[in-house]
Amino acid sequence: MRAPVPTTEISEFINRHFVDICQTMLSITATSISPVVFPLHADRVSGSVGFEGENVVGSIYLHLSPHLAARAATAMLGLPPEESPSGEAEINDVVSELTNMAGGGFKSWLCDTGVSCAMSPPAIIRGGAFDIETTPGAERICLSFDCENEPVLFEVHIKFN
Amino acid sequence: MPTKILSIDDSRTIRLIVAKAFQPYDVTMYEGADGEKGLAVAAEEKPDLIILDVTMPVMDGVTMLGKLKEDPTLKEIPVIMLTAESGRENVLQIARMGVRDYLVKPFKENQLIEKVSRIVPLQKKPAAN
């Protein structure tokens, strides 16, 4: 069994990486919040990617409020602030791409620490009436962010083999 | 004559961001949502430059790049790869494939413009009256 990458290192990387994504792609300042705060039973737009390698398996989930997801789409598509994205498909595509960037950066960082893995394409879940549970033996790391008064939850489920 | 740029990405969001970045320039944009469509557009339009995503359904960027390099009429078209993965192994793999440059997502418009302008001429459009 490979020695797992310490949770603190994973959290530190995610903090840096997510703040960078928000600043670069959305021009939104994200600030890490501790303890974790996110209304998990409220409606949300959640992006997910999976990753798997010889020594690791897991998933990443990025949960945004519908309002922040729409705001992110407006920012990323370069629409005027008063203009909303045209529909759910457009918002889903933006959240997919943000999740892809979040997952891609995390996967690359894992590979650079010696844990090679491949990543799945992103998927989107919408709604509030769902729970995501970890598989046996997996660790769940949750980080929450304040994105200019909008909450975001970044979840990593990870199991080292 | 406008510079012809082909943007290939399964994400409409990224294609829009790329197209928006070149709006101030005398550029004709072409698009493809996967490698297969991208190859067809490349064969028809013979772009001056291709901006190619790595991970896509149907035909990924790596496979498309291989096919592009096998085609004597397309192999000289410079390619900039777009990738969400910045790891050493990934970057080395991209470098070995014979691309001119690569850009890691997340990226800023000016980073894209800077990389493209090193390869093809970008002329600002004249200001509208």
Side-chain angles (χ1 to χ4, degrees), chain B residues 39-85:
Chain B
L39 266 181
V41 179
E44 193 168 320
E45 301 296 342
K46 302 286 190 302
D48 300 303
L49 177 93
I50 297 175
I51 298 168
L52 180 60
D53 184 26
V54 175
T55 312
M56 292 182 290
V58 185
M59 184 193 287
D60 65 26
V62 176
T63 309
M64 183 193 151
L65 186 67
K67 291 188 179 293
L68 205 70
K69 295 293 177 194
E70 285 168 10
D71 188 325
T73 65
L74 304 176
K75 67 178 184 184
E76 300 299 336
I77 300 173
V79 175
I80 293 179
M81 294 295 264
L82 266 186
T83 176
E85 297 174 23

Side-chain angles (χ1 to χ4, degrees), chain A residues 90 93 97 104 107-108 112, chain B residues 11-13 85-88:
Chain A
E90 209 162 49
D93 196 63
E97 198 48 48
K107 181 239 164 188
S108 300
D112 284 349
Chain B
S11 165
R12 185 170 168 266
T13 300
E85 297 174 23
S86 58
R88 281 188 293 269

Side-chain angles (χ1 to χ4, degrees), chain A residues 67-154:
Chain A
H67 184 259
L68 179 59
R71 200 176 143 199
T74 299
M76 209 153 149
L77 299 172
L79 302 173
E82 66 280 4
E83 196 174 319
S84 300
S86 60
E88 280 190 2
E90 209 162 49
I91 294 170
N92 288 353
D93 196 63
V94 166
V95 176
S96 287
E97 198 48 48
L98 289 173
T99 311
N100 188 46
M101 289 177 198
F106 181 67
K107 181 239 164 188
S108 300
W109 177 78
L110 267 185
C111 290
D112 284 349
T113 64
V115 186
S116 292
C117 56
M119 194 177 78
S120 74
I124 293 290
I125 314 162
R126 276 178 170 267
F130 65 89
D131 292 314
I132 299 168
E133 295 179 356
T134 53
T135 51
E139 186 171 359
R140 181 183 196 170
I141 301 164
C142 289
L143 291 115
S144 65
F145 295 87
D146 174 275
C147 289
E148 299 177 2
N149 300 320
E150 303 267 8
V152 170
L153 182 66
F154 196 127

Side-chain angles (χ1 to χ4, degrees), chain A residues 6-16 109 141-143:
Chain A
T7 305
T8 48
E9 287 183 24
I10 293 174
S11 299
E12 282 167 14
F13 172 78
I14 291 167
N15 268 326
R16 286 196 306 273
W109 177 78
I141 301 164
C142 289
L143 291 115

